[in-house]
Amino acid sequence: MTVVRRAPGKLFVAGEYAVVDPGNPAILVAVDRHVTVTVTDPTEPGVQITSDLGPTAQRHHWKDGRLGAEPYARSGFAPVLSAIDTVARLLSEHGAPAPEFSLSIESGLHDHGTKYGLGSSGAVTVATVDAVAAYRGLALSDEERFRLALIASAELDPKGSGGDLAASTWGGWIAYRAPDRIAVRDLARTRGVEAALRAPWPGFGIRRLPGPEGLSLEVGWTGHPASTTALVSGLHRRTWRGTPAHRRFVRATTDCVRAAISALERGDDQELMDRIRQARRELTRLDDEMALGIHTARLAALCEIAEAAGGAAKPSGAGGGDCGIALLAATATRDIARLRERWAAAGVVPLPIRPAAEGNPQ
């Protein structure tokens, strides 16, 4: 038996950093590059994992309900192992044995092993949950797939918002609010995965949004990978949370995101561009206050070039490298062409990326 599932990558449009607090909104868009996970019958006992990102295959064996005795991080496949373990926990609660299979990963979210910052960890988590569940005969709804993926992600690091998982699950443009990931993790540990799938998750919210029909989404890659985990962890380690500056940032960002959601729903392209500019200003102020390194020289150049072309731009995600986004009038083809030329001259790689369709493609 062979099961193939894939999940798209993502870009943050607005709401970075504030979204890590439960209930605060963000806007994300899924992109038309994917991670594909294939599960087939095993050739030997255990679970074999191969990937186009790694030179060698790994075989793991079940021990005390987990794949292998070593910490996940040492394997190089932490999100995959946590996703498999989470599905196995659900199967165990239904009286089913731990699954054994061969699993292979193909990623379109990297360039010769270098990540673009398009949410590859989130996409591989969602695709793995979906593929392993389907292999064992579990049909998951979108929300069940997301919840399993979030439980798996929270086991590794509950500081992540889960926005990447939501975009990889639902596709298209979405408004997302995060639940309390520590509470979700603890719920799954104490009451079981099935109970965590059915229980209310305070703060969590997801809703589809229409894309901006009159605007072109342009994506530029700085050529420098960034660690979202390190940047968000750096903010958590500082005495910023609960301060007046923290409250001001969250309030201003939340108001900005809500206005951007309203603009998307009304089809008001100019208002949306204004809110993108505001979101960039809020990230700049946060960076100035906390010295996180959100704005690099190339991200600054990306934004300035887009503004000069009549667009609106900002870093996408935690910053520090990876990608930035720009919105320009879709009819301004000369401005878009010039933007790409100037990005390339400034060391920013224009990526031929477009929003992915709604839904999780199989």
Side-chain angles (χ1 to χ4, degrees):
M1 178 179 179
T2 299
V3 173
V4 181
R5 293 291 187 269
R6 64 176 188 160
K10 64 83 179 93
L11 289 164
F12 263 94
V13 177
E16 298 91 338
Y17 288 100
V19 72
V20 300
D21 293 343
N24 292 337
I27 300 172
L28 297 96
V29 59
V31 300
D32 60 354
R33 295 196 181 191
H34 302 80
V35 168
T36 301
V37 171
T38 302
V39 175
T40 58
D41 294 334
T43 56
E44 298 179 36
V47 173
Q48 177 170 296
I49 302 173
T50 58
S51 172
D52 59 359
L53 300 177
T56 59
Q58 295 183 7
R59 183 170 297 280
H60 298 266
H61 297 277
W62 293 101
K63 182 177 180 180
D64 299 327
R66 290 170 61 92
L67 279 179
E70 292 189 349
Y72 289 147
R74 295 181 189 173
S75 78
F77 290 114
V80 177
L81 293 173
S82 189
I84 296 170
D85 276 2
T86 301
V87 176
R89 289 163 62 191
L90 179 62
L91 290 168
S92 176
E93 291 171 14
H94 288 245
E100 297 189 337
F101 48 83
S102 295
L103 182 147
S104 64
I105 304 162
E106 296 180 14
S107 175
L109 306 181
H110 295 73
D111 178 39
H112 297 94
T114 300
K115 74 182 190 74
Y116 286 124
L118 298 173
S120 57
S121 294
V124 77
T125 300
V126 170
T128 299
V129 162
D130 201 12
V132 174
Y135 181 77
R136 291 308 305 267
L138 295 178
L140 302 175
S141 67
D142 286 344
E143 184 161 334
E144 289 169 335
R145 186 183 305 116
F146 167 78
R147 285 185 174 228
L148 284 171
L150 189 71
I151 292 167
S153 179
E155 283 290 345
L156 297 176
D157 181 10
K159 291 186 292 295
S161 71
D164 53 350
L165 305 172
S168 291
T169 298
W170 276 276
W173 292 71
I174 61 168
Y176 170 74
R177 291 184 290 110
D180 183 328
R181 282 81 65 203
I182 293 176
V184 167
R185 181 198 63 189
D186 293 348
L187 177 64
R189 287 178 177 178
T190 57
R191 294 180 52 196
V193 174
E194 178 73 31
L197 290 182
R198 308 304 168 206
W201 285 7
F204 168 62
I206 182 80
R207 114 168 164 255
R208 297 191 186 279
L209 298 172
E213 294 184 2
L215 297 175
S216 176
L217 176 67
E218 299 296 317
V219 183
W221 180 49
T222 63
H224 296 291
S227 172
T228 298
T229 299
L231 285 159
V232 173
S233 295
L235 190 60
H236 276 260
R237 284 194 298 269
R238 308 188 189 194
T239 56
W240 181 68
R241 298 172 67 83
T243 65
H246 171 250
R247 291 193 294 270
R248 189 213 60 78
F249 172 78
V250 169
R251 182 173 59 252
T253 299
T254 297
D255 290 345
C256 174
V257 171
R258 287 174 176 164
I261 291 171
S262 177
L264 280 166
E265 292 177 331
R266 298 193 317 272
D268 189 335
D269 292 344
Q270 187 57 56
E271 173 69 12
L272 176 62
M273 293 173 71
D274 288 343
R275 299 289 71 79
I276 294 300
R277 296 184 182 105
Q278 180 187 355
R280 179 192 174 197
R281 291 194 298 270
E282 294 304 328
L283 287 175
T284 299
R285 183 177 295 185
L286 173 64
D287 205 12
D288 291 342
E289 291 172 346
M290 303 305 299
L292 294 173
I294 296 172
H295 287 279
T296 65
R298 287 189 182 177
L299 281 173
L302 179 154
C303 295
E304 291 165 4
I305 290 168
E307 290 289 343
K314 60 180 287 294
S316 177
D322 286 341
C323 292
I325 60 170
L327 293 175
L328 287 85
T331 56
T333 54
R334 290 185 179 180
D335 290 337
I336 293 171
R338 179 60 175 156
L339 169 88
R340 295 171 182 170
E341 291 173 1
R342 292 194 62 197
W343 273 0
V348 175
V349 180
L351 297 180
I353 287 176
R354 291 292 174 264
E358 291 182 356
N360 190 27
Q362 308 297 317

